[in-house]
Amino acid sequence: MDSSGWSIPRLCQEAGVSTDQVTKFMQRAGKGERASTNVDDAVKLANALGFTLDEMLKDQTAVLRSEAVDLWRALTPEERDILRAAARGRRDASDTAH
């Protein structure tokens, strides 16, 4: 919201979500309390601000997953086999350690 310069009512109008819900969320978050909203509203708020939900939440999971896929695609079939074997060996080792 800081970068947009929008007030809570303006953001809610742009996003099509309840002003009361967002106000309560912001108040709780400002006090350091647990604040939550439903996924649909979170997506609407992110889109209104020009972000993806991942960007708004500062979640790097999608970026890391995409990077891993790109790296995987760059491997030769032999390198993929080596990586699979190493991953299975590590998983097997951690299973026996428990």
Side-chain angles (χ1 to χ4, degrees):
M1 283 183 43
D2 292 339
S3 63
S4 72
W6 290 347
S7 63
I8 290 175
R10 170 79 189 274
L11 172 60
C12 293
Q13 179 183 4
E14 295 290 331
V17 300
S18 161
T19 303
D20 289 340
Q21 181 178 358
V22 173
T23 300
K24 289 176 186 175
F25 175 89
M26 298 294 286
Q27 288 172 344
R28 284 187 212 123
K31 294 178 185 176
E33 296 175 6
R34 186 177 180 282
S36 62
T37 189
N38 65 62
V39 174
D40 291 335
D41 284 351
V43 169
K44 289 177 185 178
L45 291 166
N47 288 336
L49 292 168
F51 296 108
T52 65
L53 188 55
D54 289 339
E55 290 168 333
M56 190 170 83
L57 297 174
K58 297 180 179 158
D59 183 357
Q60 293 296 310
T61 303
V63 172
L64 294 172
R65 184 174 290 130
S66 178
E67 183 181 342
V69 168
D70 290 344
L71 291 168
W72 177 261
R73 288 179 178 152
L75 296 174
T76 65
E78 294 79 19
E79 291 169 329
R80 290 178 183 182
D81 290 342
I82 292 166
L83 188 57
R84 279 189 196 103
R88 286 185 184 116
R90 182 173 183 161
R91 185 176 48 220
D92 292 344
S94 69
D95 288 346
T96 59
H98 296 284

